[in-house]
Amino acid sequence: MPVAEMLRTYPADLGGVDRDALRRCIEECVACAQACTACADACLSESDEMLPRLRKCVRTNTDCADVCETTARVLSRHTGYDANITRAVLEACATVCRSCGDECEAHASEHEHCRVCAESCRRCEQACRELIDTLGRGAGG
Amino acid sequence: MPVAEMLRTYPADLGGVDRDALRRCIEECVACAQACTACADACLSESDEMLPRLRKCVRTNTDCADVCETTARVLSRHTGYDANITRAVLEACATVCRSCGDECEAHASEHEHCRVCAESCRRCEQACRELIDTLGRGAGG
Amino acid sequence: MPVAEMLRTYPADLGGVDRDALRRCIEECVACAQACTACADACLSESDEMLPRLRKCVRTNTDCADVCETTARVLSRHTGYDANITRAVLEACATVCRSCGDECEAHASEHEHCRVCAESCRRCEQACRELIDTLGRGAGG
Amino acid sequence: MPVAEMLRTYPADLGGVDRDALRRCIEECVACAQACTACADACLSESDEMLPRLRKCVRTNTDCADVCETTARVLSRHTGYDANITRAVLEACATVCRSCGDECEAHASEHEHCRVCAESCRRCEQACRELIDTLGRGAGG
């Protein structure tokens, strides 16, 4: 995925953003969105007995996929940067990844797709929080 | 758009949610997403002289379309409801609609598409804030 | 939803497109996307006994929501129009709406949300096919 | 990105699909969507003189990002598989990637982000066509 190359070839100033934190966060959002879409579908194919216990997992995975994709898009744009938008979207993404990571982790011992997905959610939440922290430092400096 | 019908035919309990506020918010998010996608494209077709002044408007419109669509999706799901997710997504949506409404309003006298889009952003921000308020009362009551 | 107003205020030439067919198609895609997102979630909240029979319905609804949203976006843009893109996306949308309409219709007598959603899918498929027909006439003229 | 792991942990039968072609296609769609979102934004930050020549590039990039994301989502689901949907979405994706690759390539010597993005579009178009071919063989066998 050419995230780093697209950041390098952006023709204007990226501002005071921490490039590594930004790149990691885009990569984790994109990966988490894909994992959550796949995990929702995998839950849907579990046995008739399991399926009713996975309703919340399907739903939270689907929300998480949507929010992570939107976050990856917002972070991939730099023109007309608005810190309020970036921060609000990152906060929402960290919140959804936390909820989805918790939900998937609760099924991780029974369903391997939930274990893999929970790890993606944890990494994505972490990457969002680290990027939020660098924004905070930018605003203060 | 069958938003009200889909709410009415949901087979389980919608919880303590204010149905009218929820319906209005879904409708405004969907409408605002469409208006913002169209406004970004309309800006892109303005004259060579105007276009450079509309960079931020294109960018904010595109962010706003993405966030409004994601918000409409999250609000259209009720299974395994998680108040933290709903609240975080609504906060992000209100924030982006505020920024996009401000940006479009600044061009409203020159570009009618920006005037129409600014009105959609204002209504959507308002609908998000009203829904957030009803969530707050639900949690407190 | 200000679809007509956004078409009216587009600052450049819309080409030979049939504005009414275009407006209807955007509106139906947006409505169908919302209905499909809501129907997938409603299926997920059906009884433990019903749920296993609705796996395919959840999946097809989710695909249909994604494709209808993307189609609404592509149709809301007019700058740098490329007939190949518009036609390919409309063909995909008509195909997915056909499959999803069939699947929801099969459950329409048991689940009212599937009945409402099937009607949205039929209207959207019809609107896509009518718009494809006008494109064909445009290219020939 | 845990695409291969999510395919491996899917709990039901993946059918006769070519797993390697499917994995590559998901990865290329996800990568191309991100590159196109970033390229549209990079075009938007080019000089006042360049910007008017990049209108079509911004628009096609944005369409391509939307279609590639939807394709990645559809391909990440396997439950209730419908060959008509998969094929129609892949055909649309190959078409949009072709157009976007051509448009970006036309600016590749002047704008490095267009060069990188064009390469993503070519790889994604190729991966879509290869996956379509395996579907064809599946249906024939």
Side-chain angles (χ1 to χ4, degrees):
Chain A
M1 198 159 41
V3 177
E5 262 187 293
M6 293 309 293
L7 284 174
R8 187 183 54 76
T9 59
Y10 180 70
D13 190 5
L14 279 175
V17 70
D18 180 325
R19 261 166 204 255
D20 280 346
L22 179 60
R23 180 187 53 73
R24 265 199 314 274
C25 196
I26 295 172
E27 289 172 350
E28 292 299 349
C29 283
V30 162
C32 190
Q34 198 278 328
C36 285
T37 295
C39 189
D41 182 70
C43 287
L44 207 58
S45 274
E46 289 291 349
S47 69
D48 292 7
E49 200 193 348
M50 284 291 182
L51 183 55
R53 290 182 241 162
L54 293 166
R55 284 186 177 97
K56 189 184 174 69
C57 199
V58 173
R59 190 264 157 99
T60 313
N61 268 314
T62 325
D63 281 1
C64 197
D66 289 341
V67 173
C68 286
E69 260 186 21
T70 286
T71 304
R73 285 169 162 243
V74 170
L75 296 178
S76 297
R77 300 175 186 127
H78 320 295
T79 306
Y81 176 73
D82 179 328
N84 290 330
I85 293 177
T86 299
R87 188 182 306 271
V89 169
L90 282 169
E91 294 281 3
C93 196
T95 299
V96 182
C97 286
R98 166 67 64 94
S99 286
C100 194
D102 288 350
E103 183 62 31
C104 281
E105 204 172 273
H107 306 284
S109 61
E110 282 181 300
H111 306 301
E112 219 188 336
H113 51 84
C114 286
R115 182 187 58 72
V116 176
C117 188
E119 288 168 12
S120 275
C121 292
R122 297 315 189 195
R123 278 196 305 271
C124 190
E125 184 195 350
Q126 176 81 359
C128 288
R129 296 206 189 283
E130 284 173 10
L131 187 55
I132 292 170
D133 282 350
T134 68
L135 298 177
R137 287 204 300 273
Chain B
M1 198 159 42
V3 177
E5 262 186 294
M6 292 308 293
L7 284 174
R8 186 181 55 76
T9 59
Y10 180 70
D13 191 5
L14 279 173
V17 71
D18 181 323
R19 261 169 206 252
D20 280 346
L22 179 59
R23 180 187 52 74
R24 266 200 313 276
C25 196
I26 295 171
E27 289 172 352
E28 293 299 348
C29 283
V30 163
C32 191
Q34 198 278 327
C36 286
T37 296
C39 190
D41 181 71
C43 287
L44 207 58
S45 274
E46 290 290 349
S47 69
D48 291 7
E49 200 194 348
M50 283 292 181
L51 184 54
R53 289 181 244 164
L54 293 166
R55 283 187 179 96
K56 189 184 173 69
C57 200
V58 173
R59 190 264 157 99
T60 314
N61 269 314
T62 323
D63 280 1
C64 198
D66 289 341
V67 174
C68 285
E69 260 186 22
T70 285
T71 305
R73 285 168 163 244
V74 170
L75 295 178
S76 298
R77 299 175 188 128
H78 321 294
T79 306
Y81 175 74
D82 180 328
N84 290 330
I85 293 178
T86 300
R87 189 183 305 272
V89 169
L90 282 168
E91 294 282 2
C93 195
T95 299
V96 182
C97 286
R98 166 68 65 93
S99 285
C100 193
D102 287 351
E103 184 61 32
C104 281
E105 205 171 274
H107 306 284
S109 62
E110 283 181 300
H111 307 301
E112 218 189 337
H113 52 84
C114 286
R115 181 188 58 71
V116 176
C117 189
E119 288 168 12
S120 274
C121 293
R122 297 314 189 195
R123 276 197 307 272
C124 190
E125 183 196 350
Q126 176 80 1
C128 288
R129 296 207 189 281
E130 283 172 13
L131 187 55
I132 292 169
D133 283 349
T134 69
L135 298 178
R137 285 205 300 275
Chain C
M1 198 159 39
V3 177
E5 262 186 294
M6 292 309 293
L7 284 174
R8 186 181 56 75
T9 59
Y10 180 71
D13 191 4
L14 279 175
V17 70
D18 181 325
R19 259 167 207 254
D20 280 346
L22 179 60
R23 179 188 52 74
R24 264 199 313 276
C25 197
I26 295 172
E27 288 172 352
E28 293 299 349
C29 283
V30 163
C32 190
Q34 198 278 326
C36 286
T37 296
C39 189
D41 181 71
C43 288
L44 207 59
S45 274
E46 289 290 350
S47 69
D48 291 6
E49 201 193 346
M50 285 291 183
L51 184 54
R53 291 182 241 163
L54 294 165
R55 282 186 179 97
K56 189 183 172 68
C57 200
V58 172
R59 191 263 157 102
T60 314
N61 269 313
T62 324
D63 280 2
C64 198
D66 289 342
V67 173
C68 286
E69 260 185 22
T70 285
T71 306
R73 285 170 163 242
V74 170
L75 296 177
S76 298
R77 299 176 187 128
H78 320 295
T79 305
Y81 175 73
D82 179 328
N84 290 330
I85 293 178
T86 299
R87 190 182 306 270
V89 169
L90 281 168
E91 294 282 3
C93 195
T95 300
V96 182
C97 286
R98 166 68 64 93
S99 286
C100 193
D102 288 350
E103 182 62 31
C104 280
E105 205 171 272
H107 306 285
S109 62
E110 283 181 301
H111 306 301
E112 220 189 335
H113 50 85
C114 286
R115 183 187 57 72
V116 177
C117 189
E119 289 169 11
S120 274
C121 293
R122 298 312 189 196
R123 278 197 306 272
C124 190
E125 184 195 351
Q126 175 81 359
C128 288
R129 296 207 188 281
E130 284 173 12
L131 188 54
I132 292 170
D133 283 350
T134 69
L135 298 178
R137 286 203 301 274
Chain D
M1 199 158 40
V3 177
E5 261 187 295
M6 292 309 293
L7 284 174
R8 186 181 55 74
T9 59
Y10 180 70
D13 190 5
L14 279 174
V17 71
D18 181 325
R19 260 167 206 254
D20 279 346
L22 179 59
R23 179 188 52 74
R24 266 199 313 275
C25 196
I26 295 172
E27 288 172 352
E28 293 299 349
C29 283
V30 162
C32 190
Q34 198 277 329
C36 286
T37 296
C39 189
D41 181 71
C43 287
L44 207 59
S45 274
E46 289 290 348
S47 69
D48 291 6
E49 201 193 349
M50 284 292 182
L51 183 56
R53 291 182 240 163
L54 293 166
R55 283 187 178 97
K56 189 183 174 68
C57 200
V58 172
R59 191 261 158 103
T60 313
N61 269 314
T62 324
D63 280 1
C64 198
D66 290 340
V67 173
C68 286
E69 261 187 19
T70 285
T71 305
R73 284 169 164 243
V74 170
L75 296 178
S76 298
R77 299 175 188 127
H78 322 293
T79 306
Y81 175 74
D82 179 329
N84 290 329
I85 293 178
T86 299
R87 189 182 306 271
V89 168
L90 282 168
E91 293 282 3
C93 195
T95 300
V96 183
C97 286
R98 165 69 63 95
S99 286
C100 194
D102 288 350
E103 183 61 32
C104 281
E105 203 171 275
H107 306 285
S109 63
E110 282 181 303
H111 306 300
E112 219 189 337
H113 50 85
C114 286
R115 182 187 58 71
V116 176
C117 188
E119 288 168 11
S120 275
C121 293
R122 297 314 189 195
R123 277 196 308 269
C124 189
E125 184 195 351
Q126 175 81 0
C128 288
R129 297 206 189 281
E130 285 174 10
L131 187 55
I132 291 169
D133 283 349
T134 69
L135 298 177
R137 285 204 301 274

